[in-house]
Amino acid sequence: MTRLNTTEHDFNMSWDEYVIAVEDSYLIEAEADLTDEQYAQLGTAFDIGMTPVQCAIALMESRAPNRPATGWRMAA
């Protein structure tokens, strides 16, 4: 059986590798560069053991916390 997804275990990454991985993930998902405020939050994410993908998702969700509901959420 072929798995379509993989589980990341990036706990042995250096700080530089972590920052580059978060920047890449964020750029792919959000199609934007990180702001200075978001760079400041990377240290906390690194210290608590978040993977780069988890960190990028958290940064995207914190970017627009008051955005209106769209799509299927509006239908409910």
Side-chain angles (χ1 to χ4, degrees):
M1 179 176 164
T2 303
R3 291 184 61 156
L4 298 177
N5 58 359
T6 59
T7 303
E8 289 190 29
H9 295 286
D10 295 328
F11 301 108
N12 295 326
M13 296 178 85
S14 71
W15 170 249
D16 293 334
E17 292 171 332
Y18 186 82
V19 171
I20 291 169
V22 172
E23 288 173 336
D24 291 346
S25 297
Y26 190 84
L27 184 62
I28 290 169
E29 295 295 329
E31 298 177 354
D33 291 327
L34 293 171
T35 64
D36 291 339
E37 292 174 357
Q38 291 171 321
Y39 275 111
Q41 298 172 1
L42 292 182
T44 304
F46 183 78
D47 290 340
I48 64 172
M50 291 179 82
T51 66
V53 172
Q54 290 171 331
C55 181
I57 291 170
L59 290 172
M60 285 187 305
E61 289 178 351
S62 69
R63 181 177 63 170
N66 295 325
R67 65 180 180 255
T70 57
W72 63 271
R73 294 180 189 155
M74 291 184 75

